[in-house]
Amino acid sequence: MIKDVLEGKPFKHPLHPMLVHFPIALFAISFLLDIASLATSGEHGFVRASFYSMALGVVTALLASIAGLVDYTSIREDHPAKNYATAHMLINLGVIGLYALNLGLRYSAMGEIKVGWPPFLISVLAIIMLSVSGYLGGAMVYDDGIGVGRHRRKTPTPQTTISTSSTEHGTNDSFLPVADADTLDEHETLRVNANGTVLVITKLDGQFYAFQEFCPHRFGPLSEGAFCDGEIECPWHRSRFDIRTGEVTSGPAKIGLKTFPVQMRSGKIFVSVPAE
């Protein structure tokens, strides 16, 4: 339940992107107030206001980081953007640490007319790091689709890609072993690379089905899609496909999914993908 809230499922919107605007704005305001204190003369309360803006920024950043950590743990381990996500997280933690240090340096100097140079330079560094982190966050969303539409998914997304091949198993049989059947619950998915073909295996009403991983519209990851009455919904643009047949049931996709035969053998899931 708590994880669902942190992923934004009750709000029908990811929570982390909603929260990050607050610390970014508050840190930026604090920085502008610092500049104002250096650029003006007389007592205007800029230093004190900057301190409180920064303190509130740290509090909201910690809240955003909790939701961000939950999102981070949902990223597939072999996803190309996982390294970006790790860098994004570490930089943000560094930013919070710098601002916490900054608050400690400023606490006894809130009555000053101008901000001291050491805390100001720390703010400059933190703003630069925050900008880099923001760039990485945007790249993950706009280039790699990280987190897009996942709040509509009620079950966990795959944590890795299972690889299986005819060469690995030394067989000419087109049916390849994938995983034990009891590892997959209703409306869960496995992401599988079988003989070089990336596909999804899911369980619906006790039966197993397999279809291509990438949506034919804009190549969204269907293994992360939501389930709706026997259909899989692409997390990116919400095209829907019949899980059993691969047929398009709702656009914008125009082309159906390629499906693959699935068998159960001795409690294990097998999928048929001819070797290329």
Side-chain angles (χ1 to χ4, degrees):
M1 177 61 182
I2 295 177
K3 187 174 186 290
D4 287 347
V5 172
L6 292 173
E7 288 180 340
K9 291 180 181 179
F11 313 111
K12 298 183 179 180
H13 190 286
L15 187 60
H16 180 64
M18 289 195 290
L19 294 178
V20 295
H21 297 290
F22 294 100
I24 291 173
L26 289 164
F27 290 147
I29 290 171
S30 174
F31 185 62
L32 292 174
L33 289 169
D34 282 349
I35 294 174
S37 77
L38 294 172
T40 60
S41 58
E43 175 57 57
H44 298 289
F46 290 137
V47 173
R48 183 178 296 274
S50 175
F51 176 88
Y52 288 126
S53 180
M54 186 180 297
L56 192 55
V58 169
V59 172
T60 55
L62 288 171
L63 293 175
S65 68
I66 295 172
L69 180 61
V70 171
D71 287 350
Y72 176 79
T73 60
S74 298
I75 301 174
R76 203 176 69 246
E77 290 299 327
D78 58 346
H79 197 292
K82 186 73 172 186
N83 290 337
Y84 270 13
T86 301
H88 176 74
M89 177 182 66
L90 293 177
I91 292 172
N92 282 337
L93 291 175
V95 168
I96 293 173
L98 283 176
Y99 277 117
L101 172 63
N102 210 335
L103 288 172
L105 294 175
R106 291 168 181 254
Y107 183 74
S108 60
M110 280 193 289
E112 298 293 330
I113 295 176
K114 296 182 182 294
V115 66
W117 282 107
F120 177 72
L121 292 176
I122 291 175
S123 288
V124 171
L125 176 59
I127 286 291
I128 292 172
M129 291 174 62
L130 192 63
S131 300
V132 173
S133 172
Y135 170 82
L136 292 175
M140 285 190 294
V141 173
Y142 293 108
D143 292 345
D144 297 293
I146 293 295
V148 176
R150 291 183 189 172
H151 59 285
R152 295 191 291 270
R153 168 86 170 234
K154 295 181 180 179
T155 54
T157 55
Q159 288 297 296
T160 189
T161 301
I162 300 171
S163 295
T164 184
S165 68
S166 301
T167 302
E168 175 188 351
H169 296 285
T171 178
N172 292 323
D173 188 350
S174 66
F175 279 91
L176 300 172
V178 175
D180 292 334
D182 57 10
T183 62
L184 195 62
D185 291 329
E186 286 284 318
H187 294 172
E188 289 187 348
T189 52
L190 298 175
R191 189 178 193 269
V192 181
N193 185 328
N195 280 336
T197 298
V198 183
L199 54 91
V200 181
I201 296 178
T202 190
K203 186 177 183 180
L204 177 67
D205 297 330
Q207 299 295 315
F208 295 96
Y209 300 92
F211 48 86
Q212 69 187 63
E213 156 73 328
F214 300 109
C215 176
H217 174 235
R218 287 291 186 270
F219 310 109
L222 296 176
S223 61
E224 299 173 7
F227 291 85
C228 312
D229 299 325
E231 300 171 355
I232 187 77
E233 181 183 83
C234 177
W236 287 7
H237 303 107
R238 308 190 74 168
S239 294
R240 289 190 181 185
F241 307 88
D242 189 301
I243 289 173
R244 301 172 182 84
T245 65
E247 179 184 355
V248 179
T249 58
S250 178
K254 304 295 184 183
I255 302 172
L257 302 178
K258 182 177 181 180
T259 59
F260 302 88
V262 179
Q263 289 184 356
M264 282 283 295
R265 299 180 184 177
S266 303
K268 201 172 187 69
I269 304 169
F270 281 70
V271 63
S272 177
V273 181
E276 296 181 351

